[in-house]
Amino acid sequence: MISNYKAIIFDMDGVLVDVKSSWAKVHESFCVDNEDSLNAYKDGIINDEEFIRRDIALWKTECPQISREDIKNILKKVPKMKGFSDTIPYLHDRYTLGIISGGLKPLAEFIGVDHFDFILANDLEEKNGELTGEGIVEVKLDGKGVVFEKLISRLGIEKERCIALGNSHFDVPMIKKAGLGIAFNPDDQEIVDAADLVIEEKDLSLLIDRLDL
Ligand SMILES: [Mg+2]
């Protein structure tokens, strides 16, 4: 059946893919650790652009000429969430689908290009086949609410007719603005407390069953 909802907006990491962080997946593959800059970001000492710049600098210490394609190849190994292959094409036939992610755009494009009407995530600037060291910030970690509002107004869809899903406190501003906010595979209590509906199981097909979509 077709419900009153028009659009479904997904966080990526922990929701569409079964990893907590696409950034961490790349760090792991280079055996680097960004704890210092993560703490500096949490303490408000650095902004999103500087956080990304420091992450890319870590990769470049291991592989100075790394390209966006190299990063995409690393990220291709990230598993899609259970239920993705059956559920997402089914939903895409019926609803506008989008990704709003603080994760890496090369991964969002790889999993989403065939099934999502728009993809907002954070990208890596490249010149002459090499990362320049700068990021392209489309979604600030604490800015998902603003991005969500801009996007649905551009699409001309009322927020009441949107469903939004996220797994962490970074998604709270987004799911609170949506007509229906879902905590999927929740990683912390804040997202659970903010949600209209909680799906603990890591299985996207439950969306169709639970919401009668
Ligand atoms: Mg997430």
Side-chain angles (χ1 to χ4, degrees):
M1 75 173 259
I2 291 284
S3 69
N4 278 328
Y5 295 108
K6 290 276 180 203
I8 311 175
I9 315 297
F10 294 81
D11 170 41
M12 178 175 69
D13 294 351
V15 175
L16 293 174
V17 294
D18 195 4
V19 289
K20 268 192 190 177
S21 162
S22 45
W23 291 94
K25 204 70 205 169
V26 180
H27 298 331
E28 245 173 56
S29 86
F30 287 113
C31 302
V32 295
D33 164 353
N34 73 343
E35 207 184 327
D36 291 348
S37 48
L38 179 61
N39 288 333
Y41 180 81
K42 281 184 186 161
D43 293 342
I45 297 164
I46 60 170
N47 64 12
D48 291 74
E49 284 80 3
E50 179 60 20
F51 191 16
I52 292 178
R53 195 175 290 128
R54 291 186 187 189
D55 276 355
I56 299 169
L58 285 172
W59 308 339
K60 277 175 157 288
T61 55
E62 300 303 312
C63 182
Q65 289 170 345
I66 190 146
S67 68
R68 190 177 183 276
E69 193 60 26
D70 295 331
I71 300 296
K72 197 170 193 169
N73 285 332
I74 292 167
L75 291 168
K76 280 180 182 172
K77 295 172 199 140
V78 169
K80 286 179 188 163
M81 187 56 71
K82 184 181 174 196
F84 182 105
S85 303
D86 296 330
T87 309
I88 299 299
Y90 170 91
L91 293 175
H92 191 213
D93 285 344
R94 293 159 177 80
Y95 304 92
T96 297
L97 299 190
I99 297 175
I100 295 180
S101 168
L104 278 157
K105 196 159 191 175
L107 176 60
E109 283 175 357
F110 176 65
I111 63 159
V113 77
D114 295 332
H115 308 298
F116 289 83
D117 300 285
F118 56 87
I119 295 172
L120 293 163
N122 293 323
D123 213 338
L124 307 166
E125 188 184 79
E126 188 181 60
K127 215 173 192 175
N128 304 324
E130 274 181 39
L131 297 187
T132 65
E134 293 293 319
I136 301 166
V137 178
E138 291 183 349
V139 182
K140 291 188 177 176
L141 264 183
D142 65 354
K144 286 192 174 188
V146 180
V147 176
F148 174 83
E149 280 200 317
K150 277 191 192 157
L151 179 73
I152 60 164
S153 98
R154 205 168 78 203
L155 293 170
I157 298 173
E158 306 92 322
K159 21 183 159 174
E160 296 72 27
R161 306 191 84 179
C162 285
I163 299 172
L165 287 88
N167 75 319
S168 82
H169 62 281
F170 294 118
D171 302 303
V172 168
M174 174 168 89
I175 73 157
K176 282 188 104 164
K177 287 187 194 301
L180 184 76
I182 302 176
F184 180 89
N185 177 30
D187 198 35
D188 52 54
Q189 193 58 38
E190 286 163 78
I191 189 81
V192 170
D193 292 345
D196 302 308
L197 175 73
V198 180
I199 298 178
E200 294 275 354
E201 301 91 331
K202 293 203 275 187
D203 184 353
L204 287 167
S205 69
L206 295 172
L207 272 180
I208 300 173
D209 301 344
R210 304 252 170 107
L211 297 175
D212 211 8
L213 293 174

